[in-house]
Amino acid sequence: MAQWTSAVGAAQLARLLTSQQERPAGPGTRRPPAYRALADGIRLLVLEGRVPVAARLPAERELALSLSVSRTTVAAAYEALRAEGFLESRRGAGSWTAVPAGNPLPARGLEPLPPETLGSMIDLGCAALPAPEPWLTRAVRGALEELPPYAHTHGDYPAGLPALRQTLADRYTARGIPTMPEQIMVTTGAMGAIDAICHLFAGRGERIAVESPSYANILQLMREAGARLVPVAMAEGLAGWDMDRWRQVLRDAAPRLAYVVADFHNPTGALADEEQRRQLVDAARSAGTVLVVDETMSELHLDEGLELPRPVCGFDPGGSTVVTVGSASKAFWAGMRIGWVRAAPDVIRSLVAARAYADLGTPVLEQLAVNWLLGTGGWEQAVEVRRGQARENRNALVAALRRELPGWEFDVPRGGLTLWVRTGGLSGSRLAEVGERVGVRVPSGPRFGVDGAFEGYVRLPFTVGGAVADEAAARLAAAARLVETGANGVAEASRTFVA
């Protein structure tokens, strides 16, 4: 019986390998043999989770043709991977990826490190801050006071607690978008919301247009749902969306869904202006595409005097084209797994009906806590503290990077939690791998793209400040030096493969 559970085609693997671009070798830098470069490239893809463990690799001849190398080069690379424990083979079943005994399985998303590891590793993988106190404790206490009447019920509220649905609807109305409770469904975080939307609108094989780059965990969620992702390149820097590209993709590809982060985009930090929002809604409506708008970063504006544009759903108040997703996780605390969907009432009814076969509902106590925060003014106070933390961390991280890594390029966003950094020609995947060795965890650019794009980038969140930000930048600089000099063979593995 075959030991592999998925397969990677020769063309796909070649795209992933050749996307690993790096600056030309400097004087005195030793170039590895072609088979070694190929083996290291495949190993890195496995370690990053971009090629799954137990994935069948293409036959030697097929991969050799796709890479324009000799079959001998591929055979030697496969043999090296087998010797290192990253490949297993059996006659008649082919070869499939593995990890050596004792190694942790690679993460395909951006899971936070366990708390017990934080003393030795600076975690820049997760864009989330600690809970704002005392508001978390006050909210839980307030929720406990409100709990007794609900405890006498079955506790299942597939659409969410009526009180919280009303509160969220009132908040949209206060923002100038009249909203009824029937247009709101409470979910288990934004991920739960988008998962439900994808299952309702985009079955396996359906096209979903996504920004390029985009939020890594959402991209992975869509891949695992069987979607065909259609990337739409972002404009340079913080300019936001390229509307000509969006119109062309929506017209030509006719995707069933489009997913966008208009407010302090993750990972670039871009803020789409009001005209871009209007044009995108018009283009989606004309193409018959449902536009999913992720607002999880919308309240994290960090610069004084910044005038925020109208919400995207303001250009489709009925919710027939725009489905909006919000969450408490970024603005308040990631441990508060409360999200919501705003859409047309018939869409909400369909989502609620489908939920009976998923998670049935969201925890009552957490819903009560969020409702307490929103109803008492505690939310605004906590979010203001959160903005201050993110602002200080952003400024500290920017200063440390400019001092330690002056060749790295980035634009400083005016809000959100992330910095999108061009790494001076170094491989982001190599930096992520070597960073683990020197005590800093950072996600590489390709996690945020489709088919290996953005190899020359990393994403850095505003989650550390002060001396920790200084140390994080120093460790990144140490990792960059190791990658640049090819220490331990890590730098050379992304060179062009030559027979």
Side-chain angles (χ1 to χ4, degrees):
M1 181 178 177
Q3 301 298 306
W4 48 273
T5 57
S6 61
V8 180
Q12 180 188 7
L13 183 56
R15 283 197 304 272
L16 291 170
L17 287 164
T18 55
S19 73
Q20 296 174 342
Q21 298 298 321
E22 203 173 328
R23 66 174 58 174
T29 304
R30 185 174 59 85
R31 187 185 187 90
Y35 84 88
R36 183 69 261 171
L38 175 55
D40 285 350
I42 294 173
R43 175 179 56 83
L44 183 60
L45 292 173
V46 174
L47 288 172
E48 276 224 311
R50 292 160 61 201
V51 168
V53 174
R56 187 180 186 274
L57 294 186
E60 294 169 3
R61 188 184 302 277
E62 294 174 2
L63 185 57
L65 288 171
S66 291
L67 291 173
S68 299
V69 302
S70 72
R71 183 177 177 182
T72 302
T73 296
V74 178
Y78 279 15
E79 182 57 38
L81 290 168
R82 277 190 287 269
E84 295 163 3
F86 286 94
L87 195 69
E88 296 180 11
S89 304
R90 194 175 69 231
R91 186 179 297 277
S95 299
W96 56 92
T97 56
V99 293
N103 279 34
L105 289 176
R108 301 200 69 188
L110 298 176
E111 296 86 353
L113 287 171
E116 61 269 18
T117 68
L118 297 181
S120 59
M121 180 76 69
I122 298 176
D123 186 6
L124 297 181
C126 184
L129 291 162
E133 287 287 25
W135 291 276
L136 175 61
T137 299
R138 291 175 181 173
V140 172
R141 288 173 178 164
L144 287 171
E145 293 176 1
E146 299 291 335
L147 183 61
Y150 296 94
H152 294 294
T153 73
H154 50 61
D156 287 334
Y157 295 87
L161 294 184
L164 181 55
R165 296 176 74 195
Q166 181 68 62
T167 298
L168 292 169
D170 290 346
R171 285 177 67 83
Y172 278 105
T173 300
R175 294 168 70 188
I177 305 138
T179 302
M180 304 178 294
E182 293 79 8
Q183 290 179 263
I184 301 292
M185 180 177 85
V186 181
T187 63
T188 307
M191 292 287 288
I194 293 170
D195 182 57
I197 293 165
C198 288
H199 279 89
L200 178 64
F201 287 105
R204 185 166 293 275
E206 292 275 7
R207 294 185 181 93
I208 301 179
V210 295
E211 295 149 327
S212 183
S214 187
Y215 178 36
N217 285 341
I218 294 296
L219 295 180
Q220 190 59 34
L221 180 155
M222 292 174 175
R223 290 187 190 102
E224 294 184 358
R228 298 164 60 190
L229 302 184
V230 183
V232 187
M234 296 283 288
E236 285 297 316
L238 299 177
W241 300 332
D242 185 324
M243 288 313 306
D244 288 338
R245 288 173 176 163
W246 271 104
R247 278 189 289 267
Q248 180 180 357
V249 167
L250 293 177
R251 181 182 65 246
D252 296 346
R256 187 71 183 91
L257 285 180
Y259 169 76
V260 298
V261 184
D263 299 286
F264 310 118
H265 175 261
N266 187 353
T268 68
L271 176 65
D273 64 36
E274 192 154 316
E275 186 57 29
Q276 289 172 327
R277 297 166 189 241
R278 184 193 308 277
Q279 290 183 32
L280 185 59
V281 173
D282 290 344
R285 185 181 292 116
S286 297
T289 297
V290 175
L291 184 61
V292 182
V293 179
D294 186 335
E295 284 192 337
T296 54
M297 296 281 192
S298 64
E299 296 195 58
L300 293 175
H301 45 91
L302 307 183
D303 288 353
E304 297 293 335
L306 176 61
E307 185 174 346
L308 295 175
R310 191 178 177 190
V312 178
C313 58
F315 301 98
D316 179 51
S320 58
T321 296
V322 176
V323 175
T324 303
V325 172
S327 171
S329 297
K330 297 297 185 186
F332 186 75
W333 184 46
M336 188 71 76
R337 304 305 304 159
I338 298 294
W340 53 86
V341 179
R342 181 200 180 277
D346 61 315
V347 172
I348 296 298
R349 285 193 294 271
S350 297
L351 288 169
V352 171
R355 194 173 194 179
Y357 308 101
D359 64 355
L360 293 177
T362 301
V364 169
L365 188 63
E366 292 184 28
Q367 292 187 73
L368 289 171
V370 170
N371 196 54
W372 183 92
L373 285 165
L374 294 173
T376 62
W379 178 272
E380 285 73 19
Q381 296 174 52
V383 171
E384 188 58 39
V385 169
R386 171 69 82 236
R387 292 189 192 113
Q389 291 174 324
R391 185 184 303 115
E392 290 180 7
N393 289 353
R394 178 195 63 180
N395 296 344
L397 182 62
V398 165
L401 288 173
R402 286 176 172 163
R403 181 178 62 252
E404 298 286 347
L405 291 155
W408 288 19
E409 302 172 32
F410 52 85
D411 292 306
V412 181
R414 305 191 69 184
L417 287 173
T418 59
L419 197 65
W420 186 236
V421 181
R422 191 191 302 267
T423 56
L426 296 179
S427 162
S429 299
R430 308 279 160 202
L431 286 164
E433 182 189 14
V434 179
E436 296 270 354
R437 303 184 194 178
V438 299
V440 60
R441 183 173 185 255
V442 57
S444 67
R447 288 189 180 275
F448 303 88
V450 177
D451 280 341
F454 306 108
E455 184 60 54
Y457 290 82
V458 293
R459 189 198 73 170
L460 304 178
F462 313 143
T463 52
V464 296
V468 181
D470 292 340
E471 179 62 21
R475 293 184 187 185
L476 282 171
R481 287 191 294 272
L482 289 172
V483 171
E484 195 165 24
T485 58
N488 299 321
V490 296
E492 292 296 329
S494 62
R495 308 277 182 218
T496 303
F497 306 121
V498 180

